[in-house]
Amino acid sequence: ELQTDINELTSDLDRAGIPYLDYRTYAMRVLFPGIDDHPVLRELEVPGNGQQNVEKALKLFGQLINNKVFLLTFIRTLEMQRSFSMRDRGNVASLIMTALQGRLEYATDVLKHLLSDLIDRNLESKNHPKLLLRRTESVAEKMLTNWFAFLLHKFLKDCAGEPLFMLYCAIKQQMEKGPIDAITGEARYSLSEDKLIRQQIEYKTLILNCVNPDNENSPEIPVKVLNCDTITQVKEKILDAVYKNMPYSQRPRAVDMDLEWRQGRMARVVLQDEDITTKIENDWKRLNTLLHYQVNRTTANIFDSSFRYTGSPDSLRSRAPMITPDLESGVKVWHLVKNHEHGDQKEGDRGSKMVSEIYLTRLLATKGTLQKFVDDLFETLFSTVHRGSTLPLAIKYMFDFLDEQADRHGIHDTDVRHTWKSNCLPLRFWVNVIKNPQFVFDIHKSSITDACLSVVAQTFMDSCSTSEHRLGKDSPSNKLLYAKDIPNYKSWVERYYADINRLPAISDQDMNAYLAEQARLHSTEFNMLSALNEIYSYISKYSEEITAALEQEEQARKQRLSYKVEQLISAMSFERTDT
């Protein structure tokens, strides 16, 4: 059932262009996930008439940020404050990297200092050295993620993006071959046991012939849908087919379109997820499907209805699966499975064990279909030789730096060195990208696709680990699913690290030339003054602690840095009270 489609899938994908996001959007999604309209993208605006003076003060602050003694003391001081939260750490790291986007040589030097500090602290604290870089508990770790994000963008576009996009498409297409519950997000085909429909759902595949809303005279487009799909799901599949070569953000949205079913020459019915024909039994309301309307093979027309919206109620506009009870009447909405039907939660442990064994075969079948795409991605990421592009300098440079640090501390345990590298690049950067392809491409990621990508990302991490994972009957299904592949992937990782080690070292001169070029290419992406203004809020919040720390630091005293900070604070506060 599954294998036949893979050939069709591969030939389908080769032709369509990959909708890469531009550098700025990509960088923002990695650095400030979830924030679309960030101040660093805009000109600084100061209320009142203090604009010029604030700009002047912030330019002075820019000189301070470009002073290594100041910047390192500033970061170390912030990290010692109890109220400086995990979120603040990530935010400061991202703001500093945006402020230094045009000075990547300097940013790299600061990052190496901070990482070196982190390694010293990690080894002094008698923590296991393998825990280094495992969790984002420092500004340095988040800065490292951002550093790779800046420097691996070209590699993503030239090389790693394609297999990642193919995997995303393959998962999406595979999941949509079977029923997906519009409310719970569970699917018949899944890599994730948590998102598997356990009930037997009867369904048929239909071919809809669709008229392109932009050009009614163009040939009809055949679209495969299921008779158990909700109307919104059908609309989304049609939009995917009609606009398949268009980035997601530029397509019409399902919620703004109507689906019209033409029967013969006269009858035209607009289909909706909920209307007067919707079935309600007891306190459960079932979303309308094609089967509900008794649609068989037919012609459908999807057209823009933004001027006469007849779509479904707001509760269904959300693209995330969720139970949306009709609060007034206490009615619960369902699609394929009622939420209380998840039997294994009630049956206790024995029930869920049974479920795992029964459904593992279905998970394995889905995994088999996607295997080629997972292999292609892992092989690309764990290889130093790529079609027409070489290993990014940033990776070799950072791995050599970690090896130097290990030498400096007399760490010769190969497992520790391997783990540092795994935590530095695969964990800090690649896992984030695998789980969130929407950071790289202009696409929509549904909850079922997200669940499957999480299983792939976990497998990717397991492949980088040096510890042996003992499998037993209680092991989670995703470990069992990839148990046979992981030893093979692990050998790829070991070979990759060994190959990088053998490459000739990069001179500081070459690295600096490369960093200067990257900085020049993207120096105008972010607004410097706005970034400095955001960082300044931490200066004003912790001004006493920062000036005290600068007083204690010998180099800082020589350069009268605490006096400069006080000057800055008075310039900024004078302006703010003035306005």
Side-chain angles (χ1 to χ4, degrees):
E1 184 180 351
L2 302 182
Q3 277 306 340
T4 49
D5 304 310
I6 275 302
N7 308 334
E8 147 197 347
L9 173 68
T10 326
S11 60
D12 223 23
L13 290 177
D14 290 341
R15 290 194 297 276
I18 299 178
Y20 287 105
L21 293 169
D22 61 88
Y23 179 88
R24 177 188 299 179
T25 310
Y26 151 82
M28 289 305 292
R29 287 189 181 180
V30 179
L31 270 64
F32 304 102
I35 306 174
D36 290 335
D37 186 28
H38 197 284
V40 302
L41 297 175
R42 302 190 297 272
E43 293 288 323
L44 179 68
E45 282 177 23
V46 178
N49 52 7
Q51 181 88 20
Q52 274 183 316
N53 297 348
V54 168
E55 285 184 10
K56 210 160 109 185
L58 286 173
K59 281 180 181 146
L60 287 174
F61 184 35
Q63 290 170 12
L64 273 175
I65 289 277
N66 282 312
N67 177 317
K68 193 158 81 180
V69 176
F70 169 78
L71 185 54
L72 290 171
T73 309
F74 171 60
I75 293 170
R76 287 166 186 154
T77 308
L78 290 182
E79 294 198 305
M80 286 158 63
Q81 309 311 312
R82 294 192 59 173
S83 61
F84 187 65
S85 68
M86 294 296 288
R87 199 174 181 168
D88 287 331
R89 284 158 211 265
N91 192 36
V92 165
S94 294
L95 289 169
I96 287 172
M97 286 302 280
T98 48
L100 299 180
Q101 166 76 73
R103 290 206 57 201
L104 287 177
E105 297 154 82
Y106 170 62
T108 304
D109 188 26
V110 168
L111 174 61
K112 283 165 61 182
H113 269 277
L114 292 170
L115 288 172
S116 173
D117 275 2
L118 192 64
I119 292 168
D120 292 349
R121 283 205 306 275
N122 174 278
L123 296 172
E124 278 162 24
S125 68
K126 300 289 178 273
N127 273 344
H128 197 288
K130 282 189 178 179
L131 292 175
L132 180 76
L133 304 173
R134 175 69 53 87
R135 297 182 290 272
T136 307
E137 288 178 354
S138 64
V139 170
E141 285 162 296
K142 179 67 175 160
M143 273 180 79
L144 180 60
T145 300
N146 299 341
W147 186 80
F148 275 128
F150 284 174
L151 298 178
L152 296 185
H153 176 253
K154 185 177 185 318
F155 179 69
L156 265 167
K157 279 198 81 163
D158 295 350
C159 192
E162 186 180 323
L164 177 63
F165 184 69
M166 298 290 260
L167 173 66
Y168 157 79
C169 291
I171 289 175
K172 176 174 157 45
Q173 196 154 331
Q174 201 48 59
M175 301 311 115
E176 289 178 358
K177 291 224 157 39
I180 299 175
D181 192 298
I183 304 287
T184 65
E186 294 170 351
R188 175 182 165 81
Y189 297 125
S190 173
L191 289 177
S192 161
E193 192 185 344
D194 302 338
K195 284 283 182 195
L196 199 63
I197 292 183
R198 285 140 203 263
Q199 291 75 354
Q200 190 55 42
I201 307 286
E202 295 298 321
Y203 66 96
K204 266 191 355 203
T205 303
L206 306 176
I207 307 275
L208 297 190
N209 295 312
C210 299
V211 180
N212 185 333
D214 301 329
N215 178 5
E216 289 236 356
N217 301 324
S218 61
E220 290 180 353
I221 300 166
V223 181
K224 276 188 187 171
V225 297
L226 307 178
N227 63 349
C228 64
D229 284 343
T230 65
I231 304 310
T232 298
Q233 287 176 331
V234 173
K235 288 198 267 191
E236 284 172 349
K237 287 179 179 179
I238 294 174
L239 290 169
D240 278 342
V242 174
Y243 297 101
K244 75 172 184 187
N245 292 328
M246 192 180 278
Y248 183 77
S249 64
Q250 293 168 27
R251 298 178 185 181
R253 289 168 23 169
V255 71
D256 297 327
M257 309 298 276
D258 276 336
L259 184 63
E260 185 182 78
W261 177 26
R262 301 180 181 176
Q263 296 162 284
R265 300 193 59 163
M266 299 305 291
R268 293 182 168 204
V269 186
V270 172
L271 310 185
Q272 298 177 41
D273 283 340
E274 291 183 44
D275 59 18
I276 51 170
T277 70
T278 300
K279 288 200 173 76
I280 300 183
E281 281 176 27
N282 303 328
D283 53 355
W284 285 93
K285 171 160 67 172
R286 183 165 199 175
L287 294 182
N288 298 341
T289 60
L290 291 181
L291 182 66
H292 165 82
Y293 285 112
Q294 298 176 325
V295 174
N296 294 317
R297 197 183 163 108
T298 186
T299 298
N301 173 28
I302 186 162
F303 60 89
D304 191 342
S305 69
S306 36
F307 50 89
R308 51 163 212 95
Y309 179 68
T310 58
S312 44
D314 280 349
S315 66
L316 289 152
R317 288 195 183 190
S318 161
R319 310 187 60 94
M322 54 193 248
I323 294 289
T324 48
D326 205 328
L327 294 175
E328 300 83 80
S329 56
V331 171
K332 297 189 282 282
V333 181
W334 70 293
H335 171 208
L336 299 172
V337 292
K338 292 181 180 165
N339 216 29
H340 62 56
E341 286 179 10
H342 302 287
D344 58 329
Q345 287 156 0
K346 302 202 178 54
E347 292 165 29
D349 283 346
R350 179 175 154 67
S352 57
K353 277 293 147 303
M354 290 289 294
V355 164
S356 297
E357 284 152 29
I358 294 166
Y359 290 104
L360 198 57
T361 50
R362 186 135 39 98
L363 295 171
L364 277 165
T366 308
K367 170 195 174 263
T369 320
L370 299 171
Q371 188 72 43
K372 170 189 178 302
F373 298 94
V374 173
D375 285 351
D376 284 355
L377 176 63
F378 286 15
E379 212 170 335
T380 305
L381 297 184
F382 296 136
S383 166
T384 52
V385 186
H386 306 99
R387 296 190 307 270
S389 72
T390 50
L391 180 84
L393 291 185
I395 296 176
K396 168 68 176 164
Y397 188 77
M398 193 48 74
F399 278 18
D400 282 0
F401 169 74
L402 291 173
D403 281 334
E404 282 162 27
Q405 291 291 313
D407 290 343
R408 187 166 72 89
H409 289 284
I411 294 176
H412 302 296
D413 180 342
T414 51
D415 276 10
V416 170
R417 288 173 175 242
H418 180 106
T419 305
W420 282 9
K421 289 169 186 173
S422 295
N423 291 350
C424 150
L425 174 69
L427 176 69
R428 296 241 67 79
F429 181 72
W430 287 124
V431 162
N432 197 13
V433 168
I434 292 170
K435 284 177 75 149
N436 298 293
Q438 75 280 12
F439 287 179
V440 184
F441 313 112
D442 187 340
I443 54 175
H444 169 68
K445 181 180 74 172
S446 66
S447 74
I448 180 64
T449 306
D450 181 56
C452 294
L453 287 166
S454 292
V455 172
V456 175
Q458 183 58 55
T459 305
F460 183 78
M461 260 336 283
D462 292 344
S463 308
C464 297
S465 165
T466 56
S467 53
E468 281 306 314
H469 193 82
R470 294 253 173 276
L471 289 174
K473 61 182 193 310
D474 295 328
S475 299
S477 59
N478 60 340
K479 304 274 189 199
L480 296 168
L481 212 49
Y482 282 95
K484 282 203 168 78
D485 311 271
I486 284 189
N488 187 29
Y489 294 150
K490 281 187 169 183
S491 67
W492 294 0
V493 179
E494 281 167 17
R495 184 198 63 206
Y496 176 60
Y497 292 174
D499 287 350
I500 292 175
N501 202 15
R502 280 197 295 272
L503 290 170
I506 301 167
S507 69
D508 284 338
Q509 195 181 356
D510 284 351
M511 188 64 188
N512 285 339
Y514 164 70
L515 290 167
E517 171 64 6
Q518 292 303 306
R520 189 185 62 73
L521 284 174
H522 301 295
S523 59
T524 57
E525 303 285 0
F526 310 111
N527 189 294
M528 270 288 292
L529 291 179
S530 298
L532 290 168
N533 192 42
E534 295 295 305
I535 300 170
Y536 178 75
S537 63
Y538 291 94
I539 295 268
S540 61
K541 183 173 179 183
Y542 298 110
S543 55
E544 287 171 27
E545 293 84 348
I546 291 164
T547 45
L550 291 168
E551 282 297 335
Q552 286 164 2
E553 161 73 47
E554 188 189 349
Q555 286 297 107
R557 274 206 308 279
K558 279 187 185 157
Q559 298 177 35
R560 301 179 63 209
L561 292 181
S562 66
Y563 169 67
K564 289 180 181 169
V565 170
E566 280 161 6
Q567 271 188 314
L568 168 71
I569 293 169
S570 64
M572 290 293 280
S573 53
F574 172 72
E575 287 322 321
R576 294 183 185 220
T577 49
D578 187 40
T579 57

